[in-house]
Amino acid sequence: MIVAPEFCRVEVSEMKPLPSKARAVIIGGGVSGCSVAYHLVKLGWTDVILLERKQLTCGTTWHAAGLLSELRGSSDMTKLTKYSMQLYSSLEEETGIATGLRRVSSLSIAVTQERKHELYRQLSLAPAYGVEARKISVRELEGMYPHIDVSDVTAALHFPNDGQCDPGNVAMALAKGARQRGAAIFEGVKVAGVQARNGRVSGVTWEKDGERGVIETDNVVNCAGMWAREFGARSDVAVPLHACEHFYMITEPIDGLNRLPVLRVLDEYTYYKEDAGKILFGAVEPKAKPWGMNGIPESFCFDQLSEDFAHFEPIVEKALKRVPMLATAGIRTFFNGPESFTPDDQYHLGEAPGVRGYWVACGYNSTGIAASGGAGLALAQWMNDDEPPFDLSGVDIRRMESLQKNRLYLRERVSEVVGLSFGDHFPARQMTTARGIRRSPIHEHLKARGAVFGEMVGWERANWFARKGQEREYRYSWYRQNWFDNQREEHLAIRERVGIFDLTSFGKIRVEGRDATTFLQRLCSNDVDVPVGRIVYTQMLNERGGIESDLTVSRLTETAFLLVVSALTLQTNLCWLRRHLGDEFVVIVDVSASESILAVMGPKSRELLGKVSPNDFSNENNPYSTWQEIEIGMGLARAHRVASVGELGWEIYISTDQAAHVFEVIEAAGADVGLKLCGLHALGSCRMEKACRHLPDDVGSGEHVLEAGLGFAVKTAKPGYIGRDAVLRKLETGLDRRLVQFRLKDPAPLLHKNEVVFRDGRIAGTITSGDYGHTLGGAIGLGYVPCKDESEAALLSSSYEIEIAGECFAAEVSLKPMYDPKGERMRA
Ligand SMILES: Cc1cc2nc3c(=O)[nH]c(=O)nc-3n(C[C@H](O)[C@H](O)[C@H](O)COP(=O)(O)OP(=O)(O)OC[C@H]3O[C@@H](n4cnc5c(N)ncnc54)[C@H](O)[C@@H]3O)c2cc1C
């Protein structure tokens, strides 16, 4: 049993009456809310109020294990956790509250060959993200952690700057720091709801000891932890997260136990922390227990959940083998507490879609202590500047679809998410829970033909097609997976004959109305005021020239346009469009579910379409970047001539009710021309050969459109669009870096993402996305390389190597697509 801690509460909470107005009201006094308050006042915001329904830290924060590690999946996320640790080490001096931060370092160990590879990939990446890490021998490991069984250890890494802290005191120090700078913090005040007027937050209603009131404000921040979903739902704001039970044990004091690094045995899903002569060992179980299905109890305050030894026993068994001294140490505490988890294991930050001024910072997936310092800073800057300080798309709440707030979906999904942080992060790894929610009309057709599906924001998408008799499961690895040859066959069919993909999951937005053209001209960096029937590839930029959206715009009529975006960015796009809509007479509608897309791609696509449609697919009638209405079988569709794979090809947009018919007709006619069903893995390898940029991997709000190599889609002569000044400025000052395409000369290794690029022996950057080039005969990747004041020739004449798990491979580099650089095939 852990006893609720006695923090210095009197010092941080207000005794005075609640004000009636505030610039920002933060809901929830866990580490997240305290950090947001701290950083807002630090930025000079006055009238910042934090309201906590019970007592500060009484939700999840008080009982966290307090592990802090620097290295994350992206350089920006790593910056944020590094900042958290720096902040926690300086807070004591600022506030007098010791956060308990100790940089005891950490060890990650592997006991499988695949995990060894993953650890060595981290080792390569660490210096590129400014994190210290080193490989240690088993003997050295024993020296640093003498209590563990190392007999099966395949690799070990040491992170000297990692550490641990006292989570409750981190939150209290942030609260005190916030109050010292003018924030008002009230405990025992429950926020009952958020009021909104004309799509914008106008205030909050509160309750305290039977008393009720309203605080007028333009900004609320939902930092309500595991309550955040239900609290958001009261204002129709989707905050997809769900609590899970989360366990650890603490031993009795162990004689002679010295200070130890934090230890993570990833393959066993366990971690160990030495604290005051005891060992705390906990787990992120691969199959976790969702909690709070009927709502979080109103009375919850420093509560613990019931012990469940049967559930934790497999973990304990592993722990006793790994750290044998635990068997005799005696257990003082078996702790079970709830924590919130999200559908994709990333936290939620930013402004929620639909209600302006409604911000969120929650759903930390058991990293809230490590993340909150940086997340609080980033959100405060975002609120202050009305734009994120850098690309935060990985955690931006707008990546979620509102259907993901469904409780059954969340309950299923989070049982898998808890263990993900310690699971192998294999390329192409798919979620196994909460599947089958969004299906294309031809889903069953594809399934019957061997499709192996992946999932994206609820959509089932055919990733590859198994041959007859082939197992229809992913077998994951860091090396070639079981679908590698299927991808190659599909890839080559597209290059040499013709393939068909189901792209129904793409986001489709109809922008229509008298002012649709002027509105889109203001948002798009390409010229979309084109004749009806034309398709324009464009970006929507922010004021810094960063890429908020990467899309095609098809002009359907004089006053109607169809915008096509990736499934993952649909909500972000809708938000961007809606927030920039001024007085223009325009309607923006998500029409994603109303049309399916069948892509017919490859040199024989014209011939194939000619067999199923009486329409004319010639260059004269339907040139590249145009669409036409077609009869196809007995149905009616639009044929959009585009080239996401770099070949002659069309995307056929069909009303969903006719999609199965059209698919059947194309399939039947395809036998003669060698049509092959293709999955998204083949699309990925083809686009990589063509160096087509992918948002959010290769381009995003932090990537300048010219540095991303997309200047060909930017019209500098067109006046008045967002980001134009930043484009002109960049043209004057020159590029600081450029996105380039790499091909490994050795055909064996693979590139996925986050491999380190060396230029003339020095770290130059990382691979933003990678795949295998089955036509080019080697792994292909994209990545940024600094190039200030350098010519293209100088950039290209350097020698490049890419490090994969500690091994360097020579790479060719190109600024033009290595496959069909002149784009002749797609215009054929
Ligand atoms: C067993 C365990 C171990 C963990 N170990 C680690 C670790 O080692 N490292 C790490 O980084 N993270 C760890 N975590 C995760 C970490 O504890 C959480 O991510 C973090 O505490 C979440 O903070 P929060 O502020 O979002 O939520 P909370 O701390 O739950 O705060 C939310 C607050 O909102 C208040 N609230 C809710 N509704 C309202 C309302 N309507 N009005 C007013 N107030 C409201 C609640 O009372 C609560 O105080 C662990 C978690 C658990 C359970």
Side-chain angles (χ1 to χ4, degrees):
M1 180 81 179
I2 290 194
V3 180
E6 274 308 313
F7 301 123
C8 22
R9 214 154 272 125
V10 182
E11 285 185 68
V12 297
S13 124
E14 304 287 341
M15 300 300 182
K16 58 191 185 195
L18 269 86
S20 58
K21 275 189 181 172
R23 185 162 177 206
V25 176
I26 295 153
I27 300 138
V31 65
S32 181
C34 294
S35 179
V36 174
Y38 174 85
H39 287 99
L40 279 176
V41 289
K42 211 167 172 186
L43 278 179
W45 280 43
T46 51
D47 303 323
V48 171
I49 297 176
L50 185 153
L51 302 179
E52 163 55 48
R53 53 183 265 287
K54 297 281 187 191
Q55 294 175 24
L56 295 182
T57 77
C58 75
T60 298
T61 296
W62 69 281
H63 56 58
L67 273 46
L68 304 170
S69 54
E70 294 183 327
L71 188 63
R72 301 282 141 176
S74 74
S75 108
D76 286 334
M77 288 295 120
T78 303
K79 259 186 245 156
L80 290 184
T81 44
K82 284 184 76 171
Y83 167 78
S84 292
M85 291 176 74
Q86 281 157 14
L87 173 68
Y88 302 164
S89 64
S90 64
L91 275 176
E92 180 171 1
E93 198 181 319
E94 188 180 334
T95 66
I97 298 180
T99 59
L101 182 104
R102 288 196 293 145
R103 293 204 186 242
V104 294
S105 79
S106 82
L107 295 164
S108 288
I109 65 173
V111 298
T112 64
Q113 289 304 321
E114 291 284 1
R115 180 73 70 167
K116 175 180 172 179
H117 184 97
E118 182 170 352
L119 284 191
Y120 287 178
R121 287 176 64 89
Q122 285 186 8
L123 184 67
S124 299
L125 187 61
Y129 288 180
V131 170
E132 239 184 279
R134 63 192 188 93
K135 180 158 78 172
I136 55 168
S137 66
V138 170
R139 179 168 294 194
E140 216 175 332
L141 172 66
E142 278 182 303
M144 294 174 88
Y145 215 108
H147 316 283
I148 56 169
D149 174 8
V150 296
S151 56
D152 55 353
V153 170
T154 53
L157 296 190
H158 181 227
F159 296 90
N161 292 323
D162 283 358
Q164 59 194 54
C165 67
D166 176 346
N169 280 346
V170 165
M172 297 310 279
L174 286 165
K176 189 167 176 199
R179 196 158 174 254
Q180 280 173 347
R181 290 170 189 266
I185 295 178
F186 294 87
E187 293 181 302
V189 181
K190 180 181 164 186
V191 179
V194 175
Q195 299 177 326
R197 218 178 293 129
N198 301 328
R200 159 113 253 148
V201 163
S202 60
V204 298
T205 53
W206 55 263
E207 297 168 5
K208 181 182 166 64
D209 305 329
E211 201 189 330
R212 284 156 192 260
V214 175
I215 301 174
E216 284 177 36
T217 185
D218 290 339
N219 291 288
V220 296
V221 192
N222 181 346
C223 296
M226 60 189 163
W227 291 263
R229 185 194 72 236
E230 287 171 44
F231 185 77
R234 287 184 218 160
S235 317
D236 216 9
V237 167
V239 186
L241 57 80
H242 196 297
C244 272
E245 300 186 23
H246 209 30
F247 302 84
Y248 57 68
M249 284 182 160
I250 305 177
T251 65
E252 295 290 352
I254 298 173
D255 280 346
L257 194 66
N258 292 325
R259 185 167 156 152
L260 288 170
V262 168
L263 172 69
R264 291 182 179 84
V265 188
L266 302 165
D267 298 303
E268 294 171 358
Y269 293 87
T270 50
Y271 61 84
Y272 303 80
K273 164 186 135 174
E274 177 277 322
D275 204 356
K278 298 176 276 233
I279 293 280
L280 179 155
F281 67 100
V284 292
E285 322 95 279
K287 182 87 187 130
K289 287 177 72 186
W291 180 79
M293 273 71 82
N294 300 319
I296 312 295
E298 185 63 33
S299 59
F300 193 103
C301 182
F302 297 114
D303 285 12
Q304 303 181 30
L305 308 181
S306 315
E307 293 175 6
D308 183 348
F309 193 73
H311 177 75
F312 203 59
E313 197 175 2
I315 299 291
V316 174
E317 272 174 22
K318 287 191 179 123
L320 294 183
K321 276 196 195 136
R322 185 62 57 197
V323 189
M325 73 174 172
L326 295 178
T328 51
I331 298 299
R332 171 173 284 195
T333 307
F334 182 4
F335 182 79
N336 179 10
E339 159 69 340
S340 331
F341 293 87
T342 63
D344 61 356
D345 198 26
Q346 301 297 321
Y347 57 87
H348 296 321
L349 206 68
E351 194 174 20
V355 192
R356 294 237 53 202
Y358 194 118
W359 304 88
V360 293
C362 53
Y364 285 100
N365 303 289
S366 206
T367 62
I369 309 304
S372 281
L377 169 72
L379 187 73
Q381 289 177 343
W382 195 337
M383 292 170 70
N384 192 56
D385 303 340
D386 207 17
E387 62 178 4
F390 45 83
D391 187 358
L392 289 162
S393 56
V395 292
D396 190 331
I397 179 82
R398 292 172 298 176
R399 76 194 183 283
M400 292 280 126
E401 288 284 328
S402 60
L403 69 89
Q404 291 175 290
K405 72 182 177 188
N406 177 293
R407 282 171 288 177
L408 187 56
Y409 163 84
L410 285 168
R411 189 171 85 192
E412 294 254 326
R413 173 52 62 81
V414 295
S415 68
E416 180 182 8
V417 169
V418 175
L420 287 183
S421 54
F422 278 27
D424 295 272
H425 299 98
F426 289 126
R429 184 178 166 150
Q430 301 296 322
M431 298 289 190
T432 57
T433 52
R435 295 289 300 265
I437 300 157
R438 304 170 85 186
R439 294 182 225 174
S440 139
I442 60 164
H443 179 88
E444 292 302 322
H445 287 68
L446 301 181
K447 195 170 159 188
R449 288 152 180 80
V452 181
F453 293 93
E455 185 258 7
M456 175 68 73
V457 284
W459 278 106
E460 290 297 320
R461 312 194 308 172
N463 277 350
W464 55 283
F465 286 83
R467 291 181 224 105
K468 264 207 177 100
Q470 187 183 359
E471 182 189 34
R472 288 194 187 190
E473 290 285 333
Y474 276 94
R475 293 285 160 210
Y476 296 118
S477 165
W478 285 102
Y479 306 97
R480 293 182 181 190
Q481 298 184 12
N482 60 331
W483 48 268
F484 184 81
D485 287 340
N486 305 72
Q487 181 192 40
R488 181 173 56 222
E489 285 161 18
E490 294 167 22
H491 180 111
L492 295 180
I494 297 161
R495 292 278 181 253
E496 292 162 10
R497 305 189 310 274
V498 55
I500 181 165
F501 311 92
D502 181 7
L503 300 181
T504 299
S505 64
F506 278 12
K508 302 157 210 106
I509 304 168
R510 195 174 165 103
V511 176
E512 183 161 19
R514 189 190 62 208
D515 303 328
T517 312
T518 41
F519 172 60
L520 288 176
Q521 283 291 70
R522 188 159 61 78
L523 267 70
C524 295
S525 46
N526 208 338
D527 184 3
V528 297
D529 189 4
V530 289
V532 173
R534 282 282 306 279
I535 302 167
V536 180
Y537 171 61
T538 183
Q539 284 70 43
M540 293 196 270
L541 306 180
N542 55 36
E543 297 289 1
R544 302 186 303 264
I547 299 166
E548 295 287 339
S549 173
D550 182 62
L551 69 164
T552 57
V553 176
S554 300
R555 188 158 201 173
L556 300 180
T557 70
E558 277 303 316
T559 54
F561 296 82
L562 183 75
L563 280 50
V564 180
V565 298
S566 71
L568 186 64
T569 62
L570 173 64
Q571 292 306 324
T572 317
N573 275 284
L574 285 166
C575 282
W576 186 259
L577 290 165
R578 286 178 180 142
R579 75 175 290 182
H580 287 96
L581 188 57
D583 294 335
E584 289 111 331
F585 191 86
V586 171
V587 179
I588 300 160
V589 188
D590 170 14
V591 294
S592 304
S594 67
E595 282 190 332
S596 283
I597 308 176
L598 293 178
V600 180
M601 301 276 163
K604 293 198 171 181
S605 51
R606 180 177 284 131
E607 187 184 339
L608 174 57
L609 289 177
K611 288 171 184 282
V612 292
S613 167
N615 292 85
D616 176 0
F617 294 92
S618 67
N619 271 335
E620 292 67 41
N621 187 56
N622 191 181
Y624 181 66
S625 278
T626 64
W627 65 269
Q628 59 168 327
E629 188 181 87
I630 58 166
E631 292 179 19
I632 183 162
M634 290 180 284
L636 203 60
R638 284 191 323 277
H640 291 226
R641 187 157 168 208
V642 291
S644 41
V645 296
E647 299 292 343
L648 175 71
W650 280 263
E651 288 176 356
I652 313 292
Y653 288 69
I654 325 137
S655 166
T656 48
D657 51 347
Q658 298 165 43
H661 167 69
V662 171
F663 172 76
E664 288 157 12
V665 167
I666 297 174
E667 189 189 34
D672 291 354
V673 286
L675 175 69
K676 188 155 183 64
L677 284 173
C678 299
L680 296 186
H681 287 336
L683 181 76
S685 57
C686 287
R687 79 104 185 154
M688 190 54 70
E689 286 186 332
K690 195 70 186 108
C692 296
R693 279 64 171 146
H694 183 259
L695 186 147
D697 290 326
D698 311 310
V699 296
S701 61
E703 274 79 38
H704 195 283
V705 67
L706 299 185
E707 293 177 344
L710 294 171
F712 67 90
V714 175
K715 287 281 177 294
T716 43
K718 188 183 97 170
Y721 62 87
I722 299 170
R724 181 172 179 265
D725 291 348
V727 169
L728 297 181
R729 268 198 309 275
K730 188 60 84 181
L731 283 173
E732 252 179 58
T733 58
L735 306 182
D736 294 324
R737 56 184 195 150
R738 291 186 77 145
L739 190 66
V740 295
Q741 189 184 24
F742 300 95
R743 186 183 80 95
L744 296 187
K745 292 178 185 168
D746 179 343
L750 303 179
L751 291 174
H752 305 296
K753 185 183 166 121
N754 278 345
E755 294 84 4
V756 180
V757 176
F758 285 85
R759 179 181 179 191
D760 298 328
R762 292 183 166 197
I763 292 181
T766 56
I767 294 293
T768 49
S769 69
D771 210 319
Y772 200 81
H774 294 282
T775 307
L776 293 176
I780 312 291
L782 295 173
Y784 288 89
V785 173
C787 64
K788 188 75 189 148
D789 299 328
E790 275 188 89
S791 67
E792 283 188 9
L795 187 77
L796 296 174
S797 65
S798 288
S799 98
Y800 291 89
E801 285 186 313
I802 299 180
E803 184 177 326
I804 304 171
E807 214 180 326
C808 279
F809 296 91
E812 288 166 4
V813 62
S814 176
L815 288 164
K816 294 197 183 94
M818 290 181 182
Y819 182 75
D820 187 23
K822 291 189 180 152
E824 286 162 343
R825 294 179 71 88
M826 55 200 199
R827 292 187 171 79

